[in-house]
Amino acid sequence: MNTTIGNRIRSLREFRDLTQEQLATRAEVSVDTIRKLEQNLRQSARISTLRALARALDVQLERLVGQSTVTQQLRDDGGLIALRDAIQDIGALPGVPAADDLEDPPSEQDWVASVKAATSQYWRGEYSELSSTLPLLLRDGRAATREAPTERVWQQLALAYQLAACLATQAGHPDWAYTAVEKQLAAAARASDPLMEGMGVSTLSWVLLRQGRWEQAQAIAVRKAEELEPSFLRGTPAQFAVYGNLLVAAATPAARRDDHDRAIELLSGAEAAAVRSGPVRAYGTAFSVVDVRTQKVNIALAGEAARPEQALEFAKDVRLDQISRPVHSAAYRVDVAQAQYQAGDSEAALATLLEVEEDQPEWIRLQALASATVREMLEAERRRNTALRSLAARLGVDPAL
């Protein structure tokens, strides 16, 4: 039997011993919305409303909406539980005796090549494959630092932990991701690489965003950007890229907090940095003008007062063929689909989501916004739409409304 969002809200509310009125006050949402959700008269709500309810109920959004937190394929040699165990390395704890069967380290060249390959897997959305190889990659990295603790090896270990944090967050496990970021920052410090530390803070900001800690997510990204702000004349492309990534990271929580003017200000700074740097691939990510412009679409939809028409105007400045990372392209198009639906064009929204699913069938199953958009579309459905209901079933959204 499928469990609806309303069933989960009611169960969690009763577990917290809250009345509907008390929950409405805590979440700053309408009590009528809560009643309709719990009575299954509504099957969904705006993503900002769901985030507010999740925060008020002290749970992650992924649990409230029933987001999948598993990869599509089971692997004998890895998986998300193996990734958790590799991130939460018991042997690294002080006072815990080390195991006798320590891995033989790979050569530095092989280790660097493995991290590069894993990064490509992540940005292609090959999460099942990555979840099977990343646990071993982390173990190899720790072995490499024991054998040859050069700054380059430590830098690559920081990148491996960055991948672990990103994958754990995408799979709905931000607590594991937080631990991975801690280890990323520690490795970056051993590498004496302030830009790697900057990317670690950018990753941490995203993790905090997914945990609902918006004010902290914005504050740490802004502070690190101010610390690393490059000279306009002497800054390198990598410096501008890391600085710009931090501004982008700060813009999203600002918009979630309904400070859209500040969010646009931060993105304007990031776009200026992207113009100065040109397209850059560094520190496990990519940075360019188009990468910044996609985020303008995202922030126009954030907060209590979404601006779908503005989001679609921003989208006109984005050339899809210039987005270099498949997963980033998919995330941008999910934002566009949400804007299309909110602007009243359900047909275009469905077509966009189906295109994303065709390109990224595994990735889209892990996206709360995609599932929330489909739920909203089902609730507003006036006549049975087979394509919509089929998509809902594949995303794990209950189509029996």
Side-chain angles (χ1 to χ4, degrees):
M1 177 180 179
N2 288 305
T3 301
T4 66
I5 290 176
N7 295 150
R8 296 188 191 97
I9 291 172
R10 184 177 63 252
S11 177
L12 289 164
R13 177 178 61 77
E14 291 174 348
F15 179 75
R16 302 294 187 200
D17 197 24
L18 294 171
T19 66
Q20 290 178 334
E21 290 76 11
Q22 287 171 326
L23 176 58
T25 299
R26 285 175 60 88
E28 297 183 348
V29 304
S30 164
V31 69
D32 186 57
T33 296
I34 295 173
R35 288 196 186 104
K36 288 179 177 178
L37 286 168
E38 291 193 0
Q39 293 170 9
N40 291 313
L41 298 175
R42 291 185 59 178
Q43 297 298 319
S44 188
R46 289 185 50 182
I47 194 73
S48 58
T49 299
L50 296 176
R51 285 195 178 98
L53 287 169
R55 189 177 184 88
L57 290 166
D58 198 26
V59 298
Q60 294 171 6
L61 175 65
E62 291 81 5
R63 177 174 178 182
L64 190 66
V65 301
Q67 177 192 336
S68 174
T69 59
V70 296
T71 49
Q72 194 166 10
Q73 302 171 22
L74 289 173
R75 300 280 175 176
D76 293 335
D77 52 352
L80 290 177
I81 296 302
L83 177 62
R84 179 204 64 188
D85 294 345
I87 292 171
Q88 299 175 350
D89 178 25
I90 296 173
L93 294 173
V96 176
D100 295 330
D101 56 341
L102 297 177
E103 295 87 350
D104 292 328
S107 69
E108 184 171 314
Q109 183 176 354
D110 288 345
W111 162 238
V112 172
S114 295
V115 175
K116 183 178 180 180
T119 301
S120 296
Q121 279 185 317
Y122 177 81
W123 288 117
R124 290 195 302 266
E126 298 171 358
Y127 292 167
S128 291
E129 291 286 345
L130 182 59
S131 70
S132 71
T133 59
L134 194 49
L136 179 59
L137 187 69
L138 293 176
R139 291 194 293 270
D140 280 349
R142 291 192 292 267
T145 59
R146 288 194 299 268
E147 182 71 16
T150 65
E151 291 186 347
R152 187 186 187 204
V153 168
W154 279 110
Q155 183 201 60
Q156 295 301 301
L157 183 59
L159 284 173
Y161 276 117
Q162 178 172 294
L163 283 175
C166 292
L167 181 58
T169 303
Q170 287 282 17
H173 300 289
D175 296 335
W176 306 355
Y178 188 95
T179 302
V181 174
E182 284 186 298
K183 297 191 174 186
Q184 176 188 355
L185 289 169
R190 295 292 297 270
S192 302
D193 189 339
L195 294 182
M196 188 70 249
E197 288 183 351
M199 283 305 301
V201 172
S202 179
T203 306
L204 176 60
S205 177
W206 183 45
V207 173
L208 293 173
L209 179 77
R210 293 292 290 265
Q211 291 180 332
R213 298 160 69 177
W214 300 339
E215 185 172 354
Q216 291 173 308
Q218 179 182 346
I220 63 164
V222 168
R223 289 200 301 268
K224 197 66 176 180
E226 291 172 346
E227 179 184 309
L228 296 178
E229 184 173 2
S231 163
F232 182 79
L233 294 177
R234 297 188 298 275
T236 66
Q239 287 174 327
F240 280 110
V242 173
Y243 170 72
N245 263 295
L246 285 162
L247 295 180
V248 170
T252 305
R256 294 273 176 86
R257 299 172 61 218
D258 287 314
D259 192 352
H260 284 82
D261 290 342
R262 178 59 169 158
I264 289 294
E265 180 185 7
L266 290 164
L267 288 183
S268 295
E271 188 167 349
V275 169
R276 185 64 179 161
S277 71
V280 180
R281 283 181 175 268
Y283 295 99
T285 189
F287 183 69
S288 68
V289 169
V290 72
D291 292 316
V292 178
R293 288 178 177 172
T294 62
Q295 293 306 114
K296 290 184 178 181
V297 177
N298 179 272
I299 67 166
L301 298 170
E304 287 300 317
R307 301 167 173 82
E309 290 80 9
Q310 184 185 52
L312 294 175
E313 281 297 313
F314 284 145
K316 293 177 181 178
D317 293 330
V318 176
R319 283 189 51 182
L320 198 61
D321 61 349
Q322 292 181 348
I323 303 176
S324 61
R325 298 166 291 173
V327 165
H328 186 190
S329 173
Y332 161 71
R333 285 179 287 162
V334 168
D335 286 337
V336 169
Q338 174 75 354
Q340 289 169 328
Y341 171 70
Q342 289 188 11
D345 195 347
S346 296
E347 185 176 342
L350 177 58
T352 301
L353 288 172
L354 289 172
E355 288 175 3
V356 174
E357 186 196 24
E358 183 177 0
D359 292 343
Q360 292 291 333
E362 182 175 9
W363 175 88
I364 196 172
R365 293 179 66 248
L366 299 175
Q367 305 310 308
L369 179 59
S371 297
T373 302
V374 169
R375 283 192 184 92
E376 291 181 53
M377 293 169 68
L378 281 170
E379 185 174 324
E381 185 184 39
R382 294 184 178 178
R383 63 179 64 181
R384 188 178 184 89
N385 186 321
T386 302
L388 175 61
R389 287 172 176 252
S390 296
L391 175 61
R394 292 192 295 274
L395 297 185
V397 177
D398 184 4
L401 303 180

